[in-house]
């Protein structure tokens, strides 16, 4: 007999047709600029390069684990969260190997098989996998494009069922780059409290708001509903390879205490964060402002280059950037003279630029593409110019 594999892992692993086409194009087009890039360690940023050197601390030769994470590391996270206006107790923080692992811990904490969590759509495609791996179902609530991807509060409330355990808020969202407005956050907290739900706030991009945007409120200062605020080094310090994330547990003290008691046992079961990175965390986070400044300058420059390229097509061009508050991507509406996938192939062949389809993030209008803004600015500017040229030729 053949061993049975879990139904959780019965994924359709066939590559889609677009992926096959892109693979072929990659082989035939020299110097393709990949505007699907999301890995900050390979885009020529200077400031994060020294972070791995900070791991060489003799103190890390000793293994003396704390299930929440070493207190010196949690104190450093509390200082970081404090910079976002939230005063948190280091004992209300649990370290994880990544934000993705934090989601796994939280679904273990909050759900039984068959329970549901609410996730925004459009958003980051990993949520379905992270939930499915814990036998949890995702239901979506819409962010309304015509209202700047604002949360549809009525639809969110209507999506709550007896099995709903948590609402995920991505602040700012990936790839739309939109923040959850303060009044919407308050309404979500009131709903969560009334219906016995937890809020899971993903703030991995909160340090990257576009120029001129005021600092946004962190969900870590939430007091009304049980709230888990997630972030980590992947995005905050452009260092996904260091494998360190965190969960800040907030909300009414009695709910917070009960959740933490069990969350600590989950973390203790894995003890997944390495000692060297925990020891180095205070010094890593001291360097964060310089890293964020370098990347923010690049995001701003690339956004401006994209806007210039679009403006070169004239005021009435159907190529349009969707406005956003921050994040590492830009969304662009393309003219409807061909499908999203056809535009991707056309941009790759004729401009030597790879972009991502909106459908990858469940944007269903059939005419939106996502472009990474973390790419080296000279390549990005040239790529944006070539994209504009291709649009000019086809419209
Ligand atoms: C919104 C969002 N959350 C979480 C993650 C994953 O972060 P980590 O590397 O900490 O697991 C990503 C990665 O792109 C993301 O876009």
């Amino acid at each position: 007999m053949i061993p049975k594999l879990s139904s959780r892992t019965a994924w359709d692993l066939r590559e889609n047709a677009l992926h096959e086409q892109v693979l072929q194009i990659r082989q035939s087009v020299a110097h393709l600029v990949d505007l699907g890039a999301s890995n900050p360690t390979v885009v020529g940023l200077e400031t994060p390069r020294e972070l791995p050197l900070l791991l060489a601390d003799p103190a890390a030769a000793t293994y003396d684990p704390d299930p929440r994470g070493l207190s010196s590391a949690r104190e450093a996270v509390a200082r970081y969260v404090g910079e976002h206006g939230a005063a948190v107790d280091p004992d209300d923080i649990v370290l994880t190997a990544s934000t993705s692992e934090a989601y796994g811990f939280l679904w273990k904490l909050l759900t039984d098989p068959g329970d549901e969590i609410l996730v925004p759509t459009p958003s980051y495609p990993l949520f379905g996998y992270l939930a499915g791996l814990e036998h949890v179902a995702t239901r979506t609530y819409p962010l309304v494009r015509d209202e700047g991807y604002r949360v549809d509060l009525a639809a969110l409330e209507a999506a709550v069922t007896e099995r709903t355990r948590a609402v995920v808020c991505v602040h700012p969202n990936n790839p739309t780059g939109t923040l959850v407005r303060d009044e919407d956050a308050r309404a979500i907290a009131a709903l969560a409290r009334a219906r016995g739900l937890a809020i899971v706030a993903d703030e991995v991009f909160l340090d990257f708001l576009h120029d001129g945007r005021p600092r946004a409120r962190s969900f870590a200062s939430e007091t009304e509903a049980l709230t888990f605020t997630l972030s980590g080094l992947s995005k905050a310090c452009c260092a996904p390879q260091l494998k360190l994330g965190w969960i800040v547990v907030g909300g009414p003290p009695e709910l917070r205490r009960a959740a933490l008691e069990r969350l600590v046992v989950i973390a203790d079961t894995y003890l997944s964060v390495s000692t060297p990175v925990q020891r180095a965390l205070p010094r890593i986070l001291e360097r964060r402002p310089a890293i964020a400044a370098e990347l923010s300058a690049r995001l701003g420059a690339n956004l401006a280059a994209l806007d210039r390229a679009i403006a070169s097509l004239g005021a009435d061009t159907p190529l349009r950037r969707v406005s956003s508050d921050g994040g590492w991507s830009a969304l662009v509406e393309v003219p409807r003279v061909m499908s999203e996938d056809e535009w991707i192939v056309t941009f790759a062949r004729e401009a030597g630029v790879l972009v991502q389809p909106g459908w990858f993030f469940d944007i269903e209008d059939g005419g939106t593409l996502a472009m990474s803004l973390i790419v080296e600015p000279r390549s990005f500017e040239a790529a944006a110019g070539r994209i504009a040229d291709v649009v000019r030729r086809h419209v």
Side-chain angles (χ1 to χ4, degrees):
M1 284 213 351
I2 300 172
K4 189 170 177 302
L5 303 180
S6 164
S7 60
R8 280 177 297 191
T9 58
W11 300 295
D12 180 356
L13 294 175
R14 284 169 305 181
E15 296 295 359
N16 62 50
L18 178 62
H19 183 78
E20 299 291 340
Q21 267 177 302
V22 166
L23 279 184
Q24 279 172 10
I25 294 168
R26 271 186 189 277
Q27 280 161 5
S28 60
V29 179
H31 311 301
L32 207 59
V33 178
D34 186 358
L35 297 188
S38 60
N39 178 352
T41 66
V42 293
V43 289
L45 291 167
E46 280 303 317
T47 46
R49 294 175 72 84
E50 66 183 53
L51 294 182
L53 306 178
L54 302 175
L55 301 187
D57 177 354
T62 307
Y63 186 44
D64 181 18
D66 177 331
R68 288 172 211 249
L70 298 180
S71 59
S72 55
R74 287 184 284 108
E75 282 158 15
V77 174
R79 285 195 292 278
Y80 165 78
V81 179
E83 290 167 26
H84 289 278
V88 300
D89 182 340
D91 282 346
D92 291 343
I93 293 170
V94 175
L95 303 187
T96 61
S98 64
T99 316
S100 308
E101 186 184 60
Y103 279 109
F105 283 10
L106 292 175
W107 304 150
K108 287 175 181 53
L109 174 72
L110 295 167
T111 67
D112 287 317
D115 281 346
E116 296 167 358
I117 52 155
L118 296 177
V119 297
T121 184
S123 196
Y124 177 57
L126 208 65
F127 292 140
Y129 287 89
L130 291 167
L133 283 169
E134 307 295 337
H135 280 305
V136 182
T138 50
R139 283 169 68 90
T140 57
Y141 66 90
L143 306 180
V144 186
R145 165 97 156 227
D146 293 345
E147 294 174 33
Y149 283 115
R150 184 175 182 178
V151 175
D152 183 336
L153 289 169
L156 170 60
E157 190 166 355
V160 176
T161 72
E162 286 301 302
R163 304 293 311 251
T164 310
R165 298 291 170 261
V167 181
V168 175
C169 296
V170 189
H171 182 61
N173 188 34
N174 177 15
T176 63
T178 35
L179 291 161
V180 179
R181 295 192 195 182
D182 284 351
E183 63 266 40
D184 295 347
R186 279 196 296 276
I188 293 169
L191 174 71
R193 189 178 177 112
R195 303 294 297 266
L197 312 175
I199 296 173
V200 175
D202 182 328
E203 296 189 347
V204 298
F205 292 112
L206 194 55
D207 293 321
F208 302 99
L209 302 187
H210 299 326
D211 282 351
R213 296 281 191 299
R215 195 158 258 259
R217 173 184 176 272
S218 167
F219 276 84
S221 44
E222 180 53 55
T223 51
E224 200 180 344
L226 178 62
T227 302
F228 302 92
T229 304
L230 316 183
S231 190
L233 297 184
S234 270
K235 305 292 188 280
C237 288
C238 299
Q241 79 282 28
L242 298 188
K243 305 307 300 176
L244 189 140
W246 52 82
I247 304 171
V248 179
V249 185
E254 66 286 6
L255 299 184
R256 206 163 64 206
R257 262 195 304 276
L260 265 163
E261 216 171 68
R262 296 185 185 197
L263 188 56
V264 168
V265 178
I266 297 170
D268 199 17
T269 309
Y270 294 91
L271 293 175
S272 52
V273 193
S274 83
T275 301
V277 74
Q278 293 191 55
R279 287 254 171 242
L281 190 62
R283 281 170 302 140
I284 291 173
L285 286 178
E286 272 168 25
R287 284 163 170 77
R288 188 203 61 79
I291 296 168
E294 183 188 5
L295 181 53
S296 293
R298 176 179 289 200
L299 298 170
N302 287 346
L303 208 57
L306 179 58
D307 286 343
R308 278 196 305 277
I310 293 174
S312 76
L313 295 171
D316 54 357
T317 175
L319 188 70
R320 263 189 292 267
R321 180 167 73 78
V322 181
S323 93
S324 63
D325 301 312
W328 287 13
S329 313
L331 292 180
V332 173
E333 286 176 14
V334 280
R336 303 306 174 93
V337 294
M338 56 179 113
S339 73
E340 248 172 41
D341 285 7
E342 285 164 345
W343 272 119
I344 286 173
V345 171
T346 304
F347 285 143
R349 289 223 172 93
E350 298 182 17
V353 181
L354 267 184
V355 298
Q356 284 185 302
W359 59 254
F360 184 67
F361 304 93
D362 284 337
I363 298 173
E364 284 166 355
D365 69 340
T368 304
L369 303 176
M371 297 179 187
S372 169
L373 297 171
I374 68 170
V375 174
E376 195 281 316
R378 268 183 317 228
S379 305
F380 186 95
E381 183 169 22
R386 293 202 300 273
I387 281 181
D389 291 341
V390 170
V391 170
R392 198 175 283 119
R393 280 204 295 279
H394 285 271
V395 177

